[in-house]
């Protein structure tokens, strides 16, 4: 049995438990343990990425209970990619946090690690109910992280976030119950086998459960009309929390890819392509709403929060085609948008610390210290987010545009995505010119000092858009292989017939 599959779960779990008992330990010790835990998690994720790259499915069954019984973890290329993406983002967010953000709460690092625990369970689980459990773990931790820090500005957005996600959890549980009542299983591989065999009289119940799952995942991903909670919540969170939250919407996207490709994909018989007709128009409307929000944003944080919604619409458009090319393009874009959005949240916080009472508002203010450094970081992040050459966002959007097949899809995708990118560029240009270059007389008292942990973290995440260009070949190849593996669902269902736990197919 390959015990490496448990590492991304055990490492943050043990680290989070230790942090819970170290609340009154010196902060230097808590920080050292937190960073060490995140580094170990990244190492484990890289090991699993290398293992998964051979195209095999690896199974870990707790208690040696053969699927579909018991709790199972399944490693494939998609799970490994999500683990690495999350671990890289988490490491730099954690390094940024030790620059001072973590001082206002003794349990910050514990909550941070428990959120990573929930994320990793979601990516590795092979069971729908355990996906629900993973959502609850990461959401409970995110509630605490969202309220972390001083002031009351995040109270109302935090309440909206909590109430909506609790409602989503209730719907998720009901949907799972409806599907289980018909199929007698929640193991994803087993569901992929049994869904095509569902009797005609039971199809409406399973279909309703599947559509409810789509609504829940749409809420997690912030798809219109379930996206209006996001700008307020993300823009009021502390910088490292907002940056980490850049991956939260991607959990919903991941769940849509996994469930609606494996369980309700082309092999699902009468339920084949469930919800597919809704995805493309919802994607374009979500993208359009994100652009409108970005144009009207009054602060850098709000602008970046709307950028997250733009990225959700862009991702969903590529996924909705249900093709290997579309999924591959979405995965490449997924890496770019998650890291760049996280980096931009950190840059916005650095700008906030330099502008006194103007904070990160898009208004004129006295010239800030470190203007050249911060403006270059913002420019790089904006170029990567909008999709301009020569950074990775350009290649990602080009792949998405090329993935459209039918004439109708080409017309709608090209027009909405290109026009949306143009207006997003206007939004970033307006924000950058006002914040960095339209200065008034005066000076700012006691600007925040750019410590190495702050500047390096923000720079590293933004610079990953350059790294992705340099490594575009290997990353594209991995994304294509991942998409091909996802759409070959027969290989996933073969884990049910493995004679021994840990044996590879």
């Amino acid at each position: 049995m390959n015990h490496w599959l448990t590492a991304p779960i055990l490492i943050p779990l043990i680290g989070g438990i230790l942090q819970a008992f170290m609340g009154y330990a010196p902060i230097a010790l808590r920080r050292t343990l937190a960073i060490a835990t995140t580094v170990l998690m990244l190492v484990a994720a890289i090991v699993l990425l290398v293992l998964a790259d051979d195209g095999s499915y690896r199974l870990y069954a707790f208690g040696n209970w053969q699927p579909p019984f018991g709790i199972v973890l399944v490693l494939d290329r998609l799970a490994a990619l999500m683990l690495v993406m999350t671990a890289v983002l988490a490491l730099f967010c954690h390094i940024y946090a030790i620059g001072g953000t973590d001082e206002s709460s003794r349990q910050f690092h514990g909550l941070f690690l428990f959120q990573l625990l929930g994320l990793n369970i979601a990516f590795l689980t092979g069971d729908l109910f355990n996906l629900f459990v993973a959502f609850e773990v990461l959401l409970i931790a995110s509630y605490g992280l969202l309220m972390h820090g001083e002031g009351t500005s995040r109270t109302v957005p935090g309440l909206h976030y909590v109430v909506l996600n609790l409602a989503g959890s209730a719907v998720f549980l009901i949907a799972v119950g409806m599907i289980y009542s018909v199929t007698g299983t929640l193991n994803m591989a087993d569901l992929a086998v049994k869904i095509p065999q569902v009797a005609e009289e039971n199809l409406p119940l399973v279909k309703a459960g599947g559509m409810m799952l789509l609504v829940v995942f749409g809420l997690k991903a912030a798809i219109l009309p379930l996206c209006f909670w996001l700008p307020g919540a993300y823009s009021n969170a502390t910088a490292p929390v907002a940056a980490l939250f850049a991956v939260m919407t991607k959990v919903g996207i991941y769940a849509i890819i996994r469930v609606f490709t494996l369980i309700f994909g082309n092999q699902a018989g009468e339920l084949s392509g469930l919800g597919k007709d809704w995805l493309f128009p919802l994607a374009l409307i979500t993208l359009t709403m994100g652009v409108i929000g970005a144009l009207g944003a009054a602060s850098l944080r709000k602008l970046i929060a709307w950028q997250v919604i733009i990225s959700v619409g862009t991702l969903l458009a590529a996924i909705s085609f249900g093709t290997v090319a579309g999924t591959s393009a979405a995965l490449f874009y997924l890496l770019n948008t998650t890291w760049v959005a996280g980096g931009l949240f950190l840059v916005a916080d650095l700008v906030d610390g330099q502008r006194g009472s103007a904070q990160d508002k898009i208004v004129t203010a006295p010239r800030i210290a470190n203007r050249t450094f911060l403006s270059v970081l913002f420019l790089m992040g904006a170029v990567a987010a909008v999709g301009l050459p020569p950074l990775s966002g350009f290649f990602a959007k080009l792949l998405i545009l090329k993935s459209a097949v039918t004439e109708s899809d080409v017309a709608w995708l090209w027009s909405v995505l290109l026009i949306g990118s143009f207006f997003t560029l206007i939004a970033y240009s307006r924000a950058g010119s006002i914040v960095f270059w339209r200065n008034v007389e005066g000076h700012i008292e006691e600007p925040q000092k750019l410590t190495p942990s702050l500047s390096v973290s923000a720079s590293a995440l933004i610079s990953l858009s350059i790294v992705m260009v340099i490594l575009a070949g290997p990353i594209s190849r991995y994304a294509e292989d991942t998409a091909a593996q996802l759409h070959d669902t027969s290989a996933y269902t073969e884990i049910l017939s493995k004679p021994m736990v840990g044996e590879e197919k």
Side-chain angles (χ1 to χ4, degrees):
M1 186 183 296
N2 196 326
H3 296 283
W4 272 106
L5 271 69
T6 64
I9 295 175
L10 293 179
I11 291 171
L13 174 62
I14 295 171
I17 292 173
L18 290 176
Q19 289 286 345
F21 287 100
M22 293 174 58
Y24 291 94
I27 192 168
L29 179 60
R30 282 184 274 135
R31 286 173 171 174
T32 301
L33 175 63
I35 298 299
T37 304
T38 314
V39 169
L40 286 174
M41 197 184 83
L42 175 59
V43 171
I46 293 173
V47 170
L48 293 181
L49 184 76
V50 174
L51 287 175
D53 196 31
D54 65 359
S56 299
Y57 284 94
R58 287 172 171 82
L59 175 71
Y60 190 97
F62 287 90
N64 284 349
W65 284 92
Q66 194 73 12
F69 309 104
I71 299 173
V72 295
L73 304 179
V74 180
L75 176 71
D76 63 354
R77 287 191 175 102
L78 178 60
L81 181 68
M82 299 300 291
L83 289 173
V84 170
M85 181 188 75
T86 303
V88 170
L89 177 66
L91 177 60
F92 291 118
C93 292
H94 228 153
I95 293 173
Y96 189 94
I98 67 174
T101 307
D102 61 341
E103 293 177 354
S104 60
S105 172
R106 291 190 297 271
Q107 300 304 330
F108 173 84
H109 294 294
L111 290 170
F112 194 99
L113 293 173
F114 282 127
Q115 177 151 355
L116 296 180
L117 167 67
L119 289 167
N120 292 346
I121 295 173
F123 298 142
L124 283 170
T125 185
D127 184 277
L128 267 185
F129 183 77
N130 290 323
L131 181 61
F132 166 78
V133 172
F135 277 13
E136 294 309 295
V137 172
L138 68 90
L139 286 172
I140 290 171
S142 70
Y143 300 154
L145 288 174
L146 187 61
M147 302 305 293
H148 170 76
E150 300 175 353
T152 59
S153 60
R154 57 184 60 87
T155 302
V156 173
L159 180 62
H160 293 165
Y161 177 80
V162 170
V163 171
L164 283 172
N165 279 284
L166 286 176
S169 297
V171 174
F172 194 169
L173 199 57
I174 293 170
V176 164
M178 292 168 68
I179 293 173
Y180 183 81
S181 69
V182 173
T183 62
T185 184
L186 291 175
N187 180 278
M188 293 186 193
D190 203 25
L191 282 171
V193 173
K194 291 185 176 179
I195 288 294
Q197 303 170 1
V198 172
E200 186 174 353
E201 63 270 17
N202 291 324
L203 283 175
L205 190 61
V206 177
K207 183 176 182 179
M211 292 302 293
M212 290 170 69
L213 287 179
L214 184 59
V215 171
V216 173
F217 299 153
L219 173 62
K220 308 300 182 186
I223 299 170
L224 196 80
L226 304 171
C227 66
F228 293 106
W229 59 269
L230 189 148
Y234 281 35
S235 62
N236 285 288
T238 56
V241 172
L244 181 64
F245 277 18
V247 80
M248 292 285 279
T249 53
K250 311 311 183 294
V251 180
I253 294 293
Y254 166 84
I256 290 173
I257 295 175
R258 178 69 77 190
V259 172
F260 288 87
T261 300
L262 175 64
I263 300 175
F264 299 106
N266 295 329
Q267 77 296 334
E270 293 292 327
L271 296 175
S272 176
L274 181 66
K276 183 180 178 181
D277 294 339
W278 290 89
L279 290 182
F280 189 63
L282 282 175
L284 298 185
I285 296 171
T286 301
L287 198 163
T288 303
M289 187 67 247
V291 172
I292 294 171
L295 287 169
S299 66
L300 294 182
R301 287 188 179 91
K302 277 282 178 68
L303 170 59
I304 301 160
W306 283 108
Q307 174 64 53
V308 173
I309 293 176
I310 292 172
S311 70
V312 169
T314 307
L315 282 166
L316 199 63
I319 294 166
S320 67
F321 298 141
T323 63
V324 171
T327 305
S328 172
L331 294 176
F332 191 96
Y333 180 77
L334 181 70
L335 293 175
N336 168 79
T337 188
T338 303
W339 289 335
V340 169
L344 282 171
F345 275 119
L346 300 185
V347 172
D349 188 63
L350 294 180
V351 172
D352 185 333
Q354 304 291 312
R355 299 184 79 220
S357 60
Q359 299 177 319
D360 69 325
K361 297 174 184 174
I362 304 176
V363 295
T364 55
R367 175 172 174 166
I368 64 175
N370 304 292
R371 182 174 71 174
T372 301
F373 171 69
L374 293 176
S375 62
V376 169
L377 278 186
F378 183 80
L379 174 63
M380 289 176 59
V383 167
V386 172
L388 296 177
L391 298 184
S392 56
F394 170 75
F395 298 99
K397 286 194 174 181
L398 185 61
L399 290 172
I400 290 175
L401 290 171
K402 290 175 64 178
S403 67
V405 179
T406 67
E407 292 183 3
S408 174
D409 289 345
V410 169
W412 279 106
L413 180 65
W414 280 65
S415 58
V416 174
L417 187 56
L418 292 179
I419 294 172
S421 296
F422 173 72
F423 282 107
T424 307
L425 176 61
I426 292 175
Y428 277 103
S429 300
R430 165 182 168 269
S433 61
I434 293 175
V435 170
F436 295 108
W437 303 108
R438 294 186 189 177
N439 304 134
V440 297
E441 295 296 327
H443 68 281
I444 298 171
E445 298 181 359
E446 299 182 1
Q448 180 187 30
K449 183 179 179 181
L450 293 186
T451 62
S453 64
L454 299 179
S455 56
V456 169
S457 302
S459 302
L461 282 176
I462 297 295
S463 298
L464 286 173
S465 60
I466 300 175
V467 175
M468 285 190 66
V469 174
I470 297 171
L471 300 177
I475 294 174
S476 296
R477 192 274 307 166
Y478 189 92
E480 291 168 2
D481 291 345
T482 302
Q485 186 182 41
L486 278 168
H487 288 273
D488 180 17
T489 56
S490 61
Y492 192 102
T493 57
E494 286 180 9
I495 66 175
L496 292 170
S497 59
K498 287 186 178 182
M500 184 180 298
V501 174
E503 186 177 321
E504 296 163 13
K505 281 278 183 184

